[in-house]
Structures are given as C-alpha cells and as structure tokens.
Amino acid sequence: MNILRRLPISRLLLLCGLVVAMGVSATALAFALGSGAKPPAKPLADAVHDALAAPAVGGVSAQIQLTNHLLEGANLASPSNGEAGQLASSPLLSGASGRLWIAKDGHVRLELQAEKGDTEIFYDGHTVSLYDAASSTLYRYTLPAGKEAKEPTHPHEVPTVAKIEEAITHVKDHATVSEAAPTNVAGQQAYTVRVSPNEGGSLIGGAELSWDAVHGVPLRTAIYSTTSSSPVIELAASEVSYGPVADSVFEFTPPAGTKIEEIAPHEGGSSGAGASATKPDGSKPKVTSHGRGITGIAVIEAQSKNTGQKSSLSLPEGLSKVKVNGATATELPTALGTLLSFERSGVRYLLLGAVPPSAVETIAKGL
C-alpha cells in the first residue's frame, strides 16, 4: 500500500483502472448469454468444488468488450481537455472492445482499442506493463522481490466440500450469497453466484461471478452499484477458445519515441497495515478511518509545501468543486464511491470511501 500513497492521484486512478481491468480480465473471460444447454442444478459448495477440481486448460483467447460506467455522472468539466478529460477518455475507464490472451504459465495480454489509440496491458509474472498509445507512454511496475507469481512446488490440493461449505458460512456472516444458478455463458454451460453486502449505506451493491461448469474457468465477473440494476464494470467476450497461446503474443516492443515511466515499489519502509510512505522531507502522511466496514471513509493528511508542484493528494483539474467550511474542495463522485481533496492551513486532505458524496462531505466538514 505504500506505493499507492506516494502516487499522484491522476496516476493512481489510472493504476486503479489497470488493477480493475487486470482483475476482471483474469476472471471474466467471456460473457454472452445464450440459449444453449445449462448444467444440472447443484449446491454452491459442490459447484465450486467441481470447478476447483477440473483439469487446467492450456490457455485462453477471447474477443472482449470492456464496459465501465464508473465515472458516469461524475460531471467532468471540459471532458476533452485537461487531466479530467484524459481520465474520461481512457479506454480503461470509459470502456472499449479488444482482445484477451492468458497463457497456461500465467502470462496475460489485454488489448483495448480506442479512437485516440490502443491501450495494451502485459503481465509476465513479475512485471505489469501498460502502453498508452494516445500519450505514447509505457508505464511499468515491477512487483517487489518475493511477490512474483511462482509455479507451485507441489500439486494443488482441492478443498473438500465440507471445507468449502465452512468458508461460505463465514462469508454469509457479512454478505448474502446466492446459490449456484445454472446458466449458459458464451455457449458454455456455467454457474453464476452473486454476493451482496449485508451492511447498507454504501454504493457497493454486489458482485457476480460465472464460471465454466466443465473446465472450471471463470467466465464473467460484474460489479454492481446500489443505484442501478446494471453492472458498473463488466468485461464481455463474444468469442472464446481454449488452448495453448503462442509466446509471440506476449512480445511487445514500444514504438520509437515512447516515454517510459518506471513505477518502483517502495523500499525500506514498514509493511504493516498502518504503515505510511515517507515523503522526501521525512514526513509521513497521516491515515485515519472514520467508520468501519464497507461504509468506512479513509482520510489521508499530508503537510503541503508551497513549492509550485502539485500535491500527490490532489485530484485532477477539471472536476467539480464543493465548499468545505470555506475551503474549495475538488470532488470525484463515482458509481462505486467518492473521492474528495482540499487544502486548509497548510494541510492537504484526501478522503475516499464507497459512499455517496454527502457522507464524505460530512466527514470533511468535521475535520
């Protein structure tokens, strides 16, 4: 978490988009509801056990459609200009069609096609690379030593149905979990489960996961808001095939003149849950939480120096403005949460939570 606290917000949002895209692409390989055969009904624990016990596939190739409504309703000012406009036009945050490849060894390539230039994402087990053709920039993040994906040293042991039932029971202490609903996804017999938080007051409505009933491969994930019955984020594929993926698919040479930005992991700091990244002047941002659970709001405070440089806790220019006890705050409301940033008496504040703007503004006014 240290690196996230040191990134400028504009890059942090881009990284969040990358994480969402990578996370969804690793689990949402196809979504095209069809009228084909459905698997037999079975208890959720049994369906999960069978998926985990299924033989591994040799690889996945798919035509995909990424849908992202995260920033809809955010009232971005001048959407074609400035940092806010860049965020709004990014295919990671606005949605796009493209292709996805996942190799048996864990290599991933996600290609999103956009009018202003494609976005390419690569993962090789230890480095994540994002190439943005629109800005001719390649972002690279290398995982800290010891965090790389590794081949298992012994066969994976599939948990028993009883163990899976126990885990589901623990989840039900905090969320509503549906049964495994038989369906057909992209021509594949599949099961779908939905998980929704029990606690109210947040913008997180729930998430769905569909997986191949035969191969055990996840086929679809979707994240929902409490304000709509349609998914906020979803990755869909119209064509899917299982089988080996050529190594050449994952080879990429950036065009001449590409700007390369290395995002290095934090070194030398503590890694506990309450750890803070140290700034160049030796100070550390203060991180506190107001509330608990899914409605909790995080508050990050850092001393602001008049150096002419933009604070790393500032939100992009062009977003809506609100007043917080006389101070002008920049606010980014999204379908799944709210970010708010303002400066007062030499201190820069950044608040974020999976709650509506009014809840974040109330906390801000009490600081």
Side-chain angles (χ1 to χ4, degrees), residues 154-248:
H154 52 79
H156 174 66
E157 182 178 350
V158 178
T160 64
V161 172
K163 286 292 185 182
I164 296 173
E165 288 176 338
E166 181 180 349
I168 294 173
T169 298
H170 288 316
V171 173
K172 287 183 176 180
D173 289 338
H174 308 282
T176 299
V177 183
S178 74
E179 283 298 328
T183 186
N184 188 290
V185 180
Q188 307 295 324
Q189 296 185 47
Y191 293 102
T192 297
V193 64
R194 183 181 179 105
V195 179
S196 304
N198 289 334
E199 182 180 359
S202 81
L203 290 175
I204 305 297
E208 288 183 350
L209 172 67
S210 302
W211 65 92
D212 190 312
V214 176
H215 299 96
V217 175
L219 297 174
R220 171 187 177 254
T221 63
I223 304 173
Y224 292 82
S225 168
T226 56
T227 61
S228 175
S229 59
S230 299
V232 175
I233 300 173
E234 185 177 66
L235 188 65
S238 57
E239 299 178 14
V240 181
S241 62
Y242 297 134
V245 180
D247 293 341
S248 59

Side-chain angles (χ1 to χ4, degrees), residues 39-312:
K42 62 176 62 175
L44 176 59
D46 290 336
V48 172
H49 176 271
D50 292 348
L52 296 175
V57 298
V60 177
S61 303
Q63 296 286 333
I64 58 104
Q65 176 71 43
L66 172 66
T67 301
N68 192 333
H69 300 296
L70 186 65
L71 296 182
E72 284 189 2
N75 298 320
L76 297 181
S78 302
S80 61
N81 299 300
E83 292 178 289
Q86 293 176 12
L87 287 173
S89 62
S90 169
L92 286 173
L93 295 175
S94 63
S97 60
R99 295 178 293 176
L100 168 70
W101 299 267
I102 300 178
K104 186 176 182 179
D105 63 3
H107 280 62
V108 177
R109 177 181 178 182
L110 175 65
E111 176 186 283
L112 297 174
Q113 300 161 351
E115 190 174 321
K116 294 184 178 180
D118 294 352
T119 293
E120 300 264 6
I121 300 170
F122 298 86
Y123 175 64
D124 61 9
H126 57 86
T127 299
V128 178
S129 302
L130 185 153
Y131 174 66
D132 178 26
S135 62
S136 190
T137 303
L138 176 67
Y139 300 90
R140 284 199 300 231
Y141 173 66
T142 300
L143 297 175
K147 300 296 184 181
E148 301 93 339
K150 298 179 180 179
E151 290 293 329
T153 56
H154 52 79
H156 174 66
E157 182 178 350
V158 178
T160 64
V161 172
K163 286 292 185 182
I164 296 173
E165 288 176 338
E166 181 180 349
I168 294 173
T169 298
H170 288 316
V171 173
K172 287 183 176 180
D173 289 338
H174 308 282
T176 299
V177 183
S178 74
E179 283 298 328
T183 186
N184 188 290
V185 180
Q188 307 295 324
Q189 296 185 47
Y191 293 102
T192 297
V193 64
R194 183 181 179 105
V195 179
S196 304
N198 289 334
E199 182 180 359
S202 81
L203 290 175
I204 305 297
E208 288 183 350
L209 172 67
S210 302
W211 65 92
D212 190 312
V214 176
H215 299 96
V217 175
L219 297 174
R220 171 187 177 254
T221 63
I223 304 173
Y224 292 82
S225 168
T226 56
T227 61
S228 175
S229 59
S230 299
V232 175
I233 300 173
E234 185 177 66
L235 188 65
S238 57
E239 299 178 14
V240 181
S241 62
Y242 297 134
V245 180
D247 293 341
S248 59
V249 169
F250 305 101
E251 297 174 356
F252 176 73
T253 301
T258 297
K259 180 181 178 182
I260 298 178
E261 293 200 18
E262 301 285 353
I263 304 176
H266 178 65
E267 298 179 356
S270 69
S271 58
S276 301
T278 302
K279 298 175 67 178
D281 62 2
S283 64
K284 291 184 178 182
K286 177 183 177 182
V287 182
T288 57
S289 179
H290 293 253
R292 303 180 66 180
I294 199 169
T295 58
I297 298 173
V299 178
I300 306 174
E301 305 174 38
Q303 293 295 319
S304 178
K305 292 187 176 294
N306 188 20
T307 61
Q309 295 183 346
K310 189 174 182 179
S311 169
S312 60

